[in-house]
Amino acid sequence: MPTTRTVLAAFAVGAIAIGTLAGCDSSSTTASGSASGGSTSTRPAPTDVPQACAPDGGGTLQLGMVDINEQTAFFTQMNEGVQDVADEAGADLQIVSGDNDSATQVSGVENLVASGVDALIVDPVDATALIPALTAAKAAGIPVVAADGSVEDASAIDSYVGTANEDGGAQLGKAFLDITGGEGEVGVVGALNSAIQIQRQNGFTDAVEAGGMTIGTIVDGQNVNEDAQAAAENLLTGNPDLEYIYATGEPALNGAIAAVKSQGAQDRVTIVGWDLSPSAVEGLQDGYVKAVIQQDTFGFGYEAAKAAINLACGTAEVPATVDVPITIVTPDNLADFSYYLEG
């Protein structure tokens, strides 16, 4: 599986672990990491992996997955998590890239259903486009698990594995108020083609505006590194006095960091955003990136694959929502999450 992750030696940044309830409007609680331990540089392995059953027609259990893209570390790591569980369970896995396009995802779901998969895992680009195809899959007796993102019609899926994106945005917004003192204007590098990132944007906006800050210019990076950098360059050029940027996803954060560096604005601009990458770690170490929400990307894959197998085999009850916790990484907290950046 190709990946954009890069080996980064001596990476040691910290985290405040935030347990969330899945769903955009859920609440969360915060606990501080230990100063003397609790960190790890090794990716936790999946636990409680079910054994894949034999389908009614015999052979090996077939899992199908349609992701958003295979260019971003977030998605390649989630894919690796699914593959790890499939391998351990004894299931076969087909992964189709959605290429950031709803129509491509619909075709991917339809092709996987036609190929005879026993369960589906999807990460929707759009909250509505996949509903007819997923409804048809369920009508054909194929259970559906949504991971990371979901769809507006809950009847189109059997289980949702994810993070409370709007609540996560609000948590980061509250932390940002402490960083800034609650004054100033924030520019946003978003992805307006992503329902998930719009939720994150809304949660952050509500929190910082309630705390006295202003949301200024919002630019659309389209969830692509190069587009996000161009959008962030325009944001900075059009707002030469801008002090703060919020980025709603990994490409948005990478783009914002690249733009700030290209304009030599590290001493003026403070950035917060979502999803660790080598450039985000560099920004945290240099001090102009103040906080990054990190999701358990591998955990998304682990839980989605386990849910899909259990649904297909009827071996265990699968809840309608499966919570995957988030972490706020800062320059001076103490847990080590280097495994997210190892090759």
Side-chain angles (χ1 to χ4, degrees), residues 8-343:
L8 184 65
F11 164 62
V13 295
I16 303 170
I18 300 177
T20 63
L21 298 174
C24 331
D25 298 322
S26 64
S27 61
S28 65
T29 56
T30 303
S32 296
S34 166
S36 60
S39 65
T40 177
S41 60
T42 302
R43 167 159 57 108
T47 58
D48 302 320
V49 175
Q51 185 65 35
C53 57
D56 291 341
T60 303
L61 190 75
Q62 302 292 315
L63 303 181
M65 179 175 180
V66 178
D67 62 24
I68 287 183
N69 68 53
E70 294 176 8
Q71 291 76 50
T72 302
F74 182 99
F75 302 119
T76 59
Q77 288 172 3
M78 185 163 63
N79 290 358
E80 288 179 36
V82 174
Q83 187 70 64
D84 285 352
V85 169
D87 290 343
E88 185 171 338
D92 288 340
L93 173 65
Q94 301 177 63
I95 299 179
V96 176
S97 175
D99 290 329
N100 298 305
D101 180 70
S102 295
T104 301
Q105 286 197 312
V106 170
S107 296
V109 168
E110 292 173 343
N111 290 338
L112 287 170
V113 169
S115 74
V117 295
D118 299 295
L120 275 171
I121 301 167
V122 295
D123 187 353
V125 171
D126 180 86
T128 59
L130 276 178
I131 291 173
L134 298 181
T135 301
K138 285 191 64 179
I142 300 171
V144 177
V145 176
D148 175 39
S150 191
V151 292
E152 288 184 355
D153 184 357
S155 69
I157 63 172
D158 293 283
S159 184
Y160 166 61
V161 175
T163 288
N165 286 285
E166 188 164 338
D167 186 66
Q171 289 289 333
L172 186 55
K174 292 172 184 175
F176 194 60
L177 291 171
D178 291 335
I179 292 169
T180 63
E183 295 181 356
E185 180 177 285
V186 188
V188 177
V189 182
L192 302 184
N193 59 339
S194 168
I196 295 166
Q197 293 191 44
I198 290 171
Q199 292 169 5
R200 298 172 184 171
Q201 181 179 315
N202 290 342
F204 182 88
T205 295
D206 290 346
V208 298
E209 288 183 341
M213 299 189 75
T214 302
I215 296 295
T217 303
I218 299 170
V219 296
D220 185 10
Q222 292 289 311
N223 216 25
V224 176
N225 283 328
E226 293 79 7
D227 293 349
Q229 180 176 350
E233 297 275 7
N234 291 336
L235 173 66
L236 291 170
T237 301
N239 300 271
D241 297 323
L242 185 68
E243 295 181 274
Y244 304 116
I245 293 177
Y246 169 55
T248 61
E250 183 186 330
L253 183 56
N254 288 338
I257 290 168
V260 166
K261 288 174 65 177
S262 74
Q263 297 195 19
Q266 295 98 316
D267 293 336
R268 170 172 62 87
V269 179
T270 293
I271 302 173
V272 295
W274 287 69
D275 300 328
L276 287 174
S277 65
S279 65
V281 171
E282 180 184 336
L284 284 162
Q285 292 172 333
D286 290 344
Y288 63 95
V289 177
K290 297 295 186 184
V292 177
I293 284 186
Q294 178 62 22
Q295 302 172 88
D296 186 356
T297 51
F298 298 106
F300 280 134
Y302 295 161
E303 296 302 325
K306 291 191 292 183
I309 293 167
N310 281 325
L311 286 165
C313 297
T315 48
E317 183 177 351
V318 176
T321 59
V322 178
D323 171 48
V324 179
I326 61 174
T327 299
I328 295 183
V329 179
T330 68
D332 52 7
N333 294 321
L334 302 176
D336 184 352
F337 290 86
S338 61
Y339 59 85
Y340 286 112
L341 293 157
E342 292 173 354

